[in-house]
Amino acid sequence: MKPASTFRLAALAATMATALPAVLTAQGLTNATFVNGITIAGNTVDLSTGSTFDRRVGMFSDLFYDNGSGDWWGISDRGPGGGLLSYETRVQRFSLTIDLNTGAISNFQIKQTINFTNGGNPMNGIAPSPTDVLGNALDPEGIVRLANGHLLVSDEYGPSLIEFDEAGKLVRRFTTPANLIPRNGTTGVPNFASDAGNTAGKTTNRGFEGLTISPDGKFAYAILQSGMLDEGAGNGTFSRIVKFDMTTGLAVAQYVYPLTVATQGRGVSALVALGGDRFLALERNNRGVGVGATITPADKNVFEINLAGATDVSNIVITNGVLPVGVITVAKSAQEMDLDANTLAALGNKSPEKWEGLAIGPQLTNGKYLILTGTDNDYSVTQNGSGTQFDVWFDFAQNDPYAASIQCPLGIVTGCTFTTGGAAATVSAAYALLPGVLQAYTANISNYVAPFAVVPEPQSIALMAIGLGLLGVVAAKRNRQAA
């Protein structure tokens, strides 16, 4: 018989092994291949009302594909100015031309713009003040269209999960787990505006970044961009995925997500359900071409993860980023897609800073699926230390397009001159606002279950009823003739 110490050592080794991030041994997504990419000009406007600047499309903080209609949805965040400028938050429904043989994309067209409202008042991107509750402040980051046509949106300010109807009117707020609320851990007083005074809960500007829904529509999954204040914060090793019951609006589980991207500003930007407990997760750092970024080193990747067997950590704290013994994280594959490896000449062959949108599109004729990725261009707006806002114009023909950039007053181009790199420069035909980027990939996805098709609009149902009625009349007439 082995001595008791041997058994204790073996048990300890087994427990420690379960605390390490698991690795998927069999991936569902294989043979991911880059197809092509397109840029959408930074001064593209949407279909809302207001000035040209107010209607500037903020591009793709998240993407969703409606497999019923074939339409795409792209959500932008709180607006230009980092929460300092008034901006009515909104979502864009758009179309793409897709080559079903190759997966190549083209012809981006906005079909509808929906503004978010609450009781007739705009859901505004202005950050809440330290003494306020959230109110109508909204920083949308994730989007899902539900089977009834409603829109489910994840928000960073809360972090919150909010359901809107087809017209963008707030229908209900899901209940945010108490441990996620940004607050002072001793007094319990929350501060949604910044980290000042907070010692626990989500880190400012790193709330619910990714959002997806189970194919049967029963559960929504939201992921924090990075670690909470009491769990390692922005430089922590772990984040959390929260599982919500769609019927009750309550969280039913939380899981530990082990971060892989290890350079500055790392975090998760998107989450996509594959079916069962399998998901795709998009991780990125804050490097690349952007309004306030350093060009290199860019690091943007898509991983496959699996929640099966992961520990529910709803009542467990990851103190200072140290995973408690016995806690099992979500299983995670090796890198499936390397987004920064595929660059476009229109962006100076440099990777964009903020890859944030990820969605699975239609199945192609060869059996593969189109996977669409998108960038957040921050409206090509930046600010100085005093909060003054500027448009940022880039010369993408330069080796370093960010270094060859010019700041101009918002909405003003003609005659704009600004000192850059110690020399005066003027906006010319060589300069452009930071564009949005969409890139198409194809991949095999075994046992993929696409989200449910959205129910037809009422007018479509009426037309279908009329059509079915006419078919019934024709059939009855044929039966009488046959008799």
Side-chain angles (χ1 to χ4, degrees), residues 314-441:
S314 298
N315 299 310
I316 297 174
V317 176
I318 307 170
T319 306
N320 296 322
V322 178
L323 195 66
V325 174
V327 170
I328 301 174
T329 73
V330 301
K332 190 173 184 180
S333 73
Q335 171 188 289
E336 300 289 351
M337 295 166 57
D338 183 2
L339 303 184
D340 52 275
N342 310 116
T343 58
L344 306 180
L347 210 64
N349 292 116
K350 300 291 191 301
S351 175
E353 173 197 0
K354 292 188 175 181
W355 282 111
E356 293 193 0
L358 181 68
I360 298 176
Q363 189 170 24
L364 307 177
T365 55
N366 60 10
K368 292 186 175 183
Y369 288 89
L370 169 68
I371 300 177
L372 191 69
T373 60
T375 64
D376 171 15
N377 72 337
D378 279 331
Y379 302 83
S380 204
V381 170
T382 191
Q383 63 192 53
N384 61 20
S386 302
T388 303
Q389 308 292 325
F390 301 94
D391 279 336
V392 185
W393 293 80
F394 298 84
D395 183 351
F396 293 106
Q398 300 297 315
N399 182 56
D400 185 342
Y402 181 69
S405 63
I406 299 177
Q407 293 180 356
C408 298
L410 295 181
I412 298 176
V413 179
T414 304
C416 175
T417 300
F418 195 85
T419 300
T420 177
T426 302
V427 171
S428 65
Y431 286 82
L433 295 171
L434 183 70
V437 179
L438 290 172
Q439 287 190 175
Y441 297 78

Side-chain angles (χ1 to χ4, degrees), residues 83-368:
L84 298 179
L85 294 179
S86 179
Y87 178 79
E88 295 183 15
T89 54
R90 63 199 67 170
V91 63
Q92 316 289 350
R93 179 168 64 97
F94 66 93
S95 62
L96 289 172
T97 299
I98 301 172
D99 186 326
L100 292 178
N101 293 312
T102 66
I105 57 172
S106 60
N107 194 29
F108 170 86
Q109 297 288 333
I110 296 175
K111 300 177 67 174
Q112 183 183 16
T113 301
I114 299 176
N115 288 44
F116 297 122
T117 60
N118 180 18
N121 298 311
M123 298 289 286
N124 202 292
I126 293 180
S129 70
T131 57
D132 287 344
V133 294
L134 286 172
N136 289 331
L138 179 66
D139 185 3
E141 294 289 349
I143 181 77
V144 165
R145 194 174 188 217
L146 305 177
N148 61 0
H150 287 193
L151 299 169
L152 189 64
V153 174
S154 62
D155 153 72
E156 282 207 307
Y157 282 143
S160 311
L161 203 56
I162 306 173
E163 183 177 343
F164 298 90
D165 68 12
E166 302 94 322
K169 298 177 182 177
L170 190 149
V171 174
R172 64 167 171 162
R173 293 179 183 268
F174 287 51
T175 302
T176 302
N179 65 314
L180 272 61
I181 299 294
R183 67 201 185 280
N184 184 292
T186 301
T187 65
V189 176
N191 179 2
F192 294 102
S194 72
D195 287 337
N198 292 338
T199 59
K202 69 96 180 178
T203 306
T204 293
N205 205 33
R206 288 180 172 268
F208 283 151
E209 185 79 12
L211 175 68
T212 190
I213 193 164
S214 59
D216 59 11
K218 293 182 178 180
F219 299 101
Y221 298 82
I223 187 168
L224 294 174
Q225 184 172 348
S226 58
M228 297 195 294
L229 289 169
D230 48 338
E231 297 186 343
N235 293 319
T237 308
F238 304 106
S239 182
R240 286 183 179 237
I241 296 174
V242 183
K243 180 180 181 180
F244 288 90
D245 185 301
M246 285 296 298
T247 300
T248 65
L250 299 175
V252 295
Q254 298 180 34
Y255 306 101
V256 176
Y257 178 92
L259 292 161
T260 297
V261 174
T263 52
Q264 189 270 347
R266 63 178 173 178
V268 184
S269 288
L271 195 66
V272 177
L274 297 178
D277 291 308
R278 302 176 303 140
F279 301 81
L280 295 180
L282 190 164
E283 282 189 50
R284 66 168 178 84
N285 66 353
N286 285 345
R287 292 291 187 260
V289 178
V291 294
T294 302
I295 290 292
T296 58
D299 195 6
K300 333 285 178 179
N301 306 290
V302 175
F303 302 93
E304 183 177 337
I305 63 174
N306 196 323
L307 272 56
T311 303
D312 180 359
V313 293
S314 298
N315 299 310
I316 297 174
V317 176
I318 307 170
T319 306
N320 296 322
V322 178
L323 195 66
V325 174
V327 170
I328 301 174
T329 73
V330 301
K332 190 173 184 180
S333 73
Q335 171 188 289
E336 300 289 351
M337 295 166 57
D338 183 2
L339 303 184
D340 52 275
N342 310 116
T343 58
L344 306 180
L347 210 64
N349 292 116
K350 300 291 191 301
S351 175
E353 173 197 0
K354 292 188 175 181
W355 282 111
E356 293 193 0
L358 181 68
I360 298 176
Q363 189 170 24
L364 307 177
T365 55
N366 60 10
K368 292 186 175 183

Side-chain angles (χ1 to χ4, degrees), residues 64-85:
F64 182 80
Y65 176 68
D66 177 356
N67 66 85
S69 66
D71 285 335
W72 299 85
W73 295 79
I75 198 166
S76 51
D77 57 20
R78 59 187 173 182
L84 298 179
L85 294 179

